[in-house]
Each structure stands twice: as structure tokens, then as C-alpha cells.
Amino acid sequence: MKILLCGLMMSASLLVASPVFAISDAPPRPSVGLALGSGGAVGLAHIAMLQVFDDLGIKPDRITGTSIGAVIGALYAAGLRAAEIRDIFDEFGGSRLDALSRLIQLDTEPAVTEILQVDIGEGGLIDSSGFLSFLAGKIEARMFEDLVIPLEVVATDYWTGQTVILREGDLFAAIEASMAVPGLFSPVRRGTMLLIDGGASNPLPYDLLTGRHDLIVAIDVTGSRAPEENDRLGFTDVFFSTLEIMQQSIITEKLQRHRPDIYIKPETSNIRLLEFNRIEMILHQSRPSAENLRRQLREFLDEKSEENDRSQPADR
């Protein structure tokens, strides 16, 4: 009898003390996938969208990014907040690099000429290594495995035209490939592949998140064009705007087949590819879209909260 009582007492103590038997009433948090698209300097609008995530306390469970979306996505995935990323581009945006028309007359500020240098050859006109070194000085992460948030970077194989997903290994080599705009930055060799800008094949990679998250948010920063009085278009304006039009066509076709849960396209206009000095204007133009994103995210959270309340037993 004593042996039996001791056994029962030990079993009871295990039931109380062991966390294996603990049951949590907290519902699982819905997972969020975030796609940040390609768009040159217009992609600074991503910062305004990330500020909304910070304000609402929502942390994406995965980020996919193309070109400037890969750049800003990597900084955010490394643990920086939107305000800190804005500070980085405030520092970088001292240049007035309106595409190739100004490449030979770069601003005389030493920091600018060190970050982006003319390097005609290897299929490109600008050496991106200075810019990548500039970014590397802002975060500790060097490999995908160092990131706080899982990140998938999109590039394009020049030989096959196929989308290439980079999600492990050297982080900055992946960013360099994803932002290798044809004619501007040199392609990046990776094994048998020659990688160019991801926008050539997948400028808004929300499809990579399909079926993996409860909510998919896609930010399209391909911009828009509007005629202006006495506006003269140069070669670079036409060339890079044509690339933008091609990317918009790819996105339109994707949206017709399958839309993300939340699709945001900031209404920015007349921003050239490398006009990072116009960050204030870009963020100002992005405010209505940021508020639209805030509203939709709140509606999603409220809906999920109501669903969780309905799923709970009446007498708790």
C-alpha cells in the first residue's frame, strides 16, 4: 500500500511540474509573408511600408525581394527598423544620379564618388562594390544564416532567362546579383550562371510566398510616368523607363493569374532610376499608400482576432 501511495504521489507531482502537460490558451499568431519589388530609387517607398509594420508591431515571417527590394529587405531582415533604414538612405542620397546622363559628372562629394564609381566594362557602367561595402558597414549579417528574418533574394540567369532564388550563403553576393540592372551594373557569375537583375524575370516575387503564409503582402514600386510641359526625354530616360514598362507588364500578367492578399502600389511619378536624393519626395508620395496598408493590416488583425474569439469555448 505504501508503495502504491508513493507511486501515485510521484505521478501527480510530475503532472504538475512537467511543462509537457501545459496547455496554452493563446491562439497561434498568423504568419505574414512580405514581397518587396523592384523599382530603383522609387523603391525607397518600401521604407514607408516597413514603418507601418513597425508601428503595428507586426514582424514578417519571411521576406522576398527583387533588386532594391532585396537591398531594403536585407537591411530589415538583418534587424534594422524602418527609421534606421531611412537614415542609411538619407546618408547615401547626397547624390543626384539621374541614371547614365550624369555618370561622367558625378557630385564632387567624396562619399558619393566612393560609393558609386564609373567602371565601363564587364557588361556594366557602374561599379557597385562601393555601394555594397557601404551597406555592409550598416549591419553585422554577412550570410543569409545571420539574418533575423528569413530572406529570399531574386535574380535572373542571363543565359536561360529563368528566375533564380538565392536564400543561403553570401548575402551581399546575392544582393549584387539581384540589383545588376542590365547596362548599368555588371552581371554576377555564380557557377555556370550569369546573374542579372531579378526584375528581368520576377519584379514582384509574391508568388514565392504562396501557400506558405496566412497573409501575403506585396509592395509594387515600379512607379509611373506622366507627361510634363517642355519635358525632353533623354536616352537614359527612355531606356530605363522601357525596362520599367516591361516589369509592369510582368506584374500585370501575374496579378491576373493570382493576387496577393494585400497589394500596394505607391503612386510615385517622375522619379528616375538613381535619384536617391529625392527620398523626401518619394516618402511623401508614398504616404497615402502607407495608410492604405495600415488600414488593411489592421482589418486583417481584427478579423483574425474575431475568428479566434469565436473558436474559443464559451465558458472559459
Side-chain angles (χ1 to χ4, degrees):
M1 178 63 94
K2 289 184 179 181
I3 295 175
L4 178 60
L5 288 173
C6 288
L8 290 172
M9 291 174 65
M10 289 178 64
S11 299
S13 65
L14 287 172
L15 285 170
V16 173
S18 177
V20 174
F21 297 94
I23 299 176
S24 173
D25 291 332
R29 184 182 69 83
S31 65
V32 178
L34 174 63
L36 302 178
S38 170
V42 176
L44 295 179
H46 286 316
I47 299 173
M49 308 306 145
L50 293 176
Q51 185 62 60
V52 173
F53 278 83
D54 287 346
D55 292 344
L56 297 180
I58 300 174
K59 179 180 176 182
D61 293 271
R62 186 178 309 276
I63 298 174
T64 57
T66 298
S67 200
I68 185 63
V71 173
I72 293 180
L75 296 174
Y76 198 67
L80 297 186
R81 297 178 64 82
E84 294 173 305
I85 298 174
R86 175 174 179 165
D87 289 342
I88 289 172
F89 282 95
D90 274 334
E91 180 181 347
F92 173 70
S95 61
R96 295 189 303 276
L97 302 174
D98 51 358
L100 302 182
S101 63
R102 308 183 71 99
L103 284 180
I104 309 303
Q105 292 121 3
L106 292 175
D107 290 9
T108 56
E109 300 174 24
V112 173
T113 56
E114 289 172 5
I115 292 172
L116 287 177
Q117 299 183 20
V118 177
D119 181 25
I120 300 176
E122 292 295 321
L125 289 172
I126 298 180
D127 181 3
S128 62
S129 60
F131 175 64
L132 294 170
S133 296
F134 170 75
L135 293 180
K138 305 302 181 182
I139 59 176
E140 295 182 2
R142 293 294 178 268
M143 310 291 284
F144 278 88
E145 294 75 17
D146 300 329
L147 297 173
V148 177
I149 301 173
L151 173 70
E152 297 180 1
V153 169
V154 176
T156 304
D157 184 6
Y158 172 80
W159 301 118
T160 66
Q162 298 297 309
T163 296
V164 177
I165 313 302
L166 305 171
R167 56 172 67 92
E168 58 184 20
D170 190 321
L171 176 64
F172 287 94
I175 295 173
E176 180 184 14
S178 185
M179 60 176 273
V181 178
L184 188 60
F185 298 112
S186 299
V188 175
R189 298 186 183 279
R190 187 182 179 98
T192 60
M193 296 184 295
L194 188 63
L195 301 182
I196 62 173
D197 189 277
S201 61
N202 195 344
L204 186 58
Y206 64 86
D207 51 303
L208 304 182
L209 301 167
T210 301
R212 303 167 72 182
H213 300 282
D214 299 311
L215 178 73
I216 297 175
V217 180
I219 311 299
D220 178 359
V221 291
T222 49
S224 61
R225 296 152 303 282
E228 294 183 3
E229 187 176 355
N230 299 323
D231 186 34
R232 297 183 60 184
L233 295 176
F235 165 77
T236 57
D237 294 312
V238 175
F239 178 74
F240 290 114
S241 291
T242 299
L243 293 179
E244 182 180 68
I245 291 170
M246 293 169 65
Q247 292 183 17
Q248 290 171 338
S249 296
I250 294 173
I251 293 172
T252 298
E253 194 276 332
K254 287 178 60 176
L255 290 172
Q256 290 174 347
R257 287 187 285 111
H258 174 71
R259 294 184 67 90
D261 299 298
I262 297 178
Y263 169 75
I264 301 292
K265 182 175 172 58
E267 292 301 322
T268 56
S269 61
N270 298 316
I271 304 294
R272 290 183 172 90
L273 183 74
L274 297 180
E275 288 187 322
F276 289 95
N277 63 302
R278 304 181 75 181
I279 183 171
E280 292 295 335
M281 178 180 180
I282 295 167
L283 294 178
H284 175 74
Q285 292 183 358
S286 302
R287 285 176 186 169
S289 295
E291 290 308 309
N292 182 17
L293 174 62
R294 188 187 307 274
R295 176 184 58 80
Q296 293 194 60
L297 285 174
R298 280 176 170 162
E299 289 177 356
F300 171 77
L301 292 175
D302 291 343
E303 181 181 338
K304 285 296 180 182
S305 178
E306 291 175 1
E307 289 178 0
N308 291 330
D309 288 342
R310 289 194 296 269
S311 66
Q312 297 300 320
D315 52 339
R316 296 179 58 185

